[in-house]
Amino acid sequence: LDEAAMAEARDLQSRLTKPPGALGALEDLSVRLAGLAGTCPPPVPEPAAVAIFAADHGVHAQGVSPWPQEVTAQMVANFLAGGAVVNAFAGQVGAEVTVVDVGVAADLPDAPGLLPRKVAHGTADLTRGPAMTPEQARRAMETGIEVARDLVAAGNRCLLTGDMGIANTTASAALIAAFTGLPPERVTGRGTGIDDATHRHKIEVVRAALDRARPDPADPLRVLAEVGGLEHAALAGFVLGGAAARVPVVLDGVIAGAAALVAAALCPRAVDACVAGHRSAEPGHAVTVEELGLRPLVDLELRLGEGTGALLALPLVQGAVRVLHEVATFDAAGVSDKSGHDRS
Amino acid sequence: LDEAAMAEARDLQSRLTKPPGALGALEDLSVRLAGLAGTCPPPVPEPAAVAIFAADHGVHAQGVSPWPQEVTAQMVANFLAGGAVVNAFAGQVGAEVTVVDVGVAADLPDAPGLLPRKVAHGTADLTRGPAMTPEQARRAMETGIEVARDLVAAGNRCLLTGDMGIANTTASAALIAAFTGLPPERVTGRGTGIDDATHRHKIEVVRAALDRARPDPADPLRVLAEVGGLEHAALAGFVLGGAAARVPVVLDGVIAGAAALVAAALCPRAVDACVAGHRSAEPGHAVTVEELGLRPLVDLELRLGEGTGALLALPLVQGAVRVLHEVATFDAAGVSDKSGHDRS
């Protein structure tokens, strides 16, 4: 973060026609985004693009989700047809939707809006062995870096994370446990909404994965390959790619958060580019945003994924920056300041 | 609220391609807005208009704010010039801004975008006598009803509350104390950001007003006239007018909340139309939204007013309803449901 640009943003905020600090967390955000861009005001983060990384999970065979695995591919088709919640929210806030097949089990037909970047037909079952080979993890991560780079090259000034993958909250819980050191029961949630018995089983599945892999957070790529998903790898790369381009990356929920932990372990400064779009209903997500040191912008018990929570936060991020571009100073507007002295 | 439309919205939510309940508080909101409109799906709440009711306060003479009273008129000029935060946020989310002079102390020149509806040159000092005559309170409230009616007649499908008035958090605290029964120290905040000594003094000013007026919440119009402001009266009318038109009214912060308490005391069903845009940093606001039974959509320690918190919530309200219009059902999209049975 560029300290000079941040100081300039703080000074500008203090001269705008509003009580100092009255925009709360959005003032802090505007200062950080100035630091990220290295200039004040930073560019308004638009146009914006959400990339939905889709992949399947071998751990699905352990019965961690009531949804059949083919729903991943079916939802990809739904995204491409414009029929999912992510499409409705993207339309509402004016963001472009890109879907990336980074590891869906089924072979998908070519379609406009779908980037075919399949690294594998889903991961292996993380309770029985590594979910990915190191090579697969590396390739999926590179895919994410490239998608971020290409979206920025196409003119986007804000990236949003999206994800789709039945059973991906199980892999997310394993990653979060590995990086935070918290026990599986603290970080494993109900995902799409599972019953008590399935939830207890899911916790034991996460515990079994950790017992098998003994992940060392000092070796983040190995942690990722052992217990992560292909979309987690791609999302970690997406965060790194956005940060390298100094473009804000609005994180969605627990899957993006788990991936951001990987990115942060590889490159702590990547978190400078991250904005926590929301706090989801998943218990692992609250501890993840805390670990990342981020403040979620929206907190409405969403637990959908797809990028929906990030999209709802987008107008808040854009509004926070727009203030620095458009709001008049006390001097320019002829508004008296607190002391009662008209400075115009 | 129309129970049949709400049942239809609940049923539709359960058939959309997402896990049941995954949109959290936004699903509840979509159901309530269907009940308000009496149809499912309810109209998408756009276009939207924010009405900024501006007025001055005789209690300013008691030294409750470090800002000179003329800032109210100066900020009105700033709104009309497009230089305030409310303008930046309105531009971001695509809302129209209307400014209503319902009681600014200064005489304001005619200007495009300004509705001249001055009921008085500010209120009287509420520590010494009633802030308004009953006739003034009634006229200001009628102004709010008419502004809501006219904005809906002009095609708006969503109303947002805005306010401007130096010292209006003092009157808000008195109204909130009167309607909730809470002591002044629980509901009196720092407004634009006052120091400890001024804050202590402000609490005593609120206490003095309540001791003098002995407001009876069973007589809401008298409470309003005794300790309210002209913008509070207009905002209460604005809420009633929106509710009568069955159009959602997104409330901003503590001033709108205090006014909504007046509206709710006059007509409890008016709250059905209210959406709490955000929870502000003012302590009186948290208890107010609780009293109204509303769940704030944004919670970022904003304390600016003008309508800024309501505007940030607008895309969330619109997104919640848009889901009911645009998202495919499991059947239509050919997505398998939880049981694994493909229903298409």
Side-chain angles (χ1 to χ4, degrees):
Chain A
L1 295 176
D2 183 316
E3 286 295 338
M6 290 174 74
E8 206 179 325
R10 273 186 215 103
D11 175 64
L12 178 54
Q13 283 282 8
S14 75
R15 291 183 291 116
L16 299 178
T17 43
K18 62 174 182 53
L23 287 175
L26 295 186
E27 293 196 20
D28 301 335
L29 178 60
S30 75
V31 169
R32 183 152 66 88
L33 295 183
L36 177 67
T39 182
C40 176
V44 174
E46 61 190 28
V50 55
I52 308 175
F53 295 93
D56 278 306
H57 296 264
V59 71
H60 183 271
Q62 297 295 328
V64 289
S65 171
W67 299 79
Q69 188 169 64
E70 57 261 34
V71 169
T72 303
Q74 290 167 345
M75 283 302 295
V76 166
N78 199 18
F79 300 147
L80 296 170
V85 178
V86 68
N87 303 102
F89 285 180
Q92 183 64 50
V93 303
E96 183 198 343
V97 177
T98 298
V99 186
V100 186
D101 172 10
V102 72
V104 178
D107 286 316
L108 302 179
D110 286 348
L114 175 66
L115 295 180
R117 298 286 188 278
K118 200 190 294 286
V119 171
H121 290 76
T123 53
D125 180 351
L126 51 75
T127 62
R128 307 194 162 200
M132 294 173 269
T133 66
E135 171 66 10
Q136 288 172 334
R138 195 185 54 73
R139 278 180 54 210
M141 188 176 286
E142 280 174 3
T143 296
I145 294 172
E146 286 164 12
V147 170
R149 183 199 60 199
D150 291 355
L151 287 173
V152 172
N156 289 290
R157 291 295 167 264
C158 188
L159 302 178
L160 295 87
T161 74
D163 62 87
M164 182 67 219
I166 297 298
N168 66 7
T169 59
T170 301
S172 298
L175 288 170
I176 293 165
F179 284 108
T180 64
L182 289 168
E185 61 272 20
R186 276 288 305 284
V187 300
T188 306
R190 287 167 189 271
T192 52
I194 55 180
D195 60 23
D196 287 349
T198 309
H199 186 217
R200 281 193 299 271
H201 173 59
K202 185 175 171 183
I203 291 169
E204 292 316 312
V205 165
V206 172
R207 197 185 318 278
L210 296 168
D211 286 349
R212 180 195 62 69
R214 304 249 160 237
D216 174 8
D219 187 354
L221 277 177
R222 192 181 154 265
V223 176
L224 175 65
E226 284 285 348
V227 301
L230 289 154
E231 74 273 54
H232 294 96
L235 284 163
F238 190 68
V239 167
L240 294 173
R246 295 182 161 269
V247 165
V249 181
V250 185
L251 303 177
D252 190 31
V254 71
I255 287 87
L261 289 174
V262 177
L266 289 166
C267 172
R269 289 180 54 196
V271 180
D272 291 346
C274 293
V275 176
H278 79 128
R279 179 179 1 237
S280 88
E282 282 284 297
H285 192 224
V287 301
T288 298
V289 291
E290 211 169 291
E291 178 86 11
L292 293 167
L294 298 174
R295 168 165 186 159
L297 296 178
V298 171
D299 190 359
L300 295 171
E301 290 159 52
L302 307 180
R303 50 180 172 80
L304 177 54
E306 303 181 357
T308 51
L311 284 163
L312 291 177
L314 180 61
L316 281 66
V317 179
Q318 293 172 331
V321 174
R322 196 181 262 253
V323 164
L324 295 176
H325 286 261
E326 297 184 2
V327 175
T329 60
F330 284 103
D331 281 356
V335 175
S336 307
D337 69 13
K338 243 180 177 177
S339 68
H341 185 63
D342 185 342
R343 302 191 290 189
S344 67
Chain B
L1 296 176
D2 183 315
E3 286 294 338
M6 291 174 73
E8 205 179 325
R10 274 187 213 101
D11 175 65
L12 178 55
Q13 282 284 7
S14 75
R15 291 184 290 117
L16 299 178
T17 44
K18 62 173 183 53
L23 287 175
L26 295 185
E27 294 196 18
D28 301 335
L29 178 60
S30 75
V31 169
R32 184 153 65 88
L33 295 182
L36 177 67
T39 182
C40 176
V44 174
E46 61 191 24
V50 56
I52 309 175
F53 295 92
D56 277 306
H57 296 264
V59 70
H60 183 270
Q62 296 294 330
V64 290
S65 172
W67 299 79
Q69 188 170 64
E70 58 260 33
V71 168
T72 302
Q74 291 168 345
M75 284 302 295
V76 166
N78 199 19
F79 300 148
L80 296 170
V85 178
V86 68
N87 304 101
F89 285 180
Q92 183 64 50
V93 303
E96 183 198 341
V97 178
T98 297
V99 186
V100 186
D101 173 10
V102 71
V104 178
D107 286 315
L108 303 179
D110 287 347
L114 175 67
L115 295 180
R117 298 285 188 277
K118 200 191 294 285
V119 171
H121 291 76
T123 53
D125 181 352
L126 51 76
T127 62
R128 308 196 162 197
M132 295 173 268
T133 66
E135 171 65 12
Q136 288 172 334
R138 196 185 54 72
R139 279 181 53 209
M141 187 176 286
E142 281 174 3
T143 296
I145 294 172
E146 287 165 12
V147 170
R149 183 199 61 198
D150 291 354
L151 287 172
V152 172
N156 289 290
R157 291 295 166 261
C158 188
L159 302 178
L160 296 87
T161 74
D163 63 87
M164 181 67 219
I166 296 299
N168 65 6
T169 58
T170 300
S172 299
L175 288 171
I176 294 165
F179 284 107
T180 65
L182 289 168
E185 61 272 20
R186 277 288 305 284
V187 301
T188 307
R190 288 167 189 271
T192 52
I194 55 180
D195 60 24
D196 287 349
T198 309
H199 186 218
R200 281 192 300 271
H201 173 59
K202 184 174 172 183
I203 291 169
E204 293 315 312
V205 165
V206 172
R207 198 186 318 279
L210 297 168
D211 287 350
R212 179 195 61 70
R214 304 250 161 237
D216 173 8
D219 187 354
L221 277 177
R222 191 181 156 263
V223 176
L224 175 65
E226 284 285 349
V227 301
L230 290 154
E231 75 273 54
H232 293 97
L235 284 164
F238 190 68
V239 167
L240 295 172
R246 295 181 161 269
V247 165
V249 181
V250 185
L251 304 177
D252 191 31
V254 71
I255 288 88
L261 289 175
V262 178
L266 289 166
C267 172
R269 290 180 51 197
V271 180
D272 291 346
C274 293
V275 176
H278 80 128
R279 175 171 13 232
S280 88
E282 282 284 298
H285 191 225
V287 301
T288 298
V289 291
E290 212 169 290
E291 179 87 10
L292 292 168
L294 299 175
R295 171 169 183 156
L297 296 178
V298 170
D299 190 0
L300 296 171
E301 289 159 53
L302 306 179
R303 49 180 173 79
L304 178 52
E306 302 181 359
T308 51
L311 284 163
L312 291 176
L314 180 62
L316 282 66
V317 180
Q318 293 172 330
V321 174
R322 195 180 263 252
V323 164
L324 295 176
H325 286 261
E326 296 185 3
V327 175
T329 60
F330 284 104
D331 281 356
V335 175
S336 308
D337 68 11
K338 243 181 176 177
S339 69
H341 185 63
D342 185 341
R343 302 191 291 190
S344 69

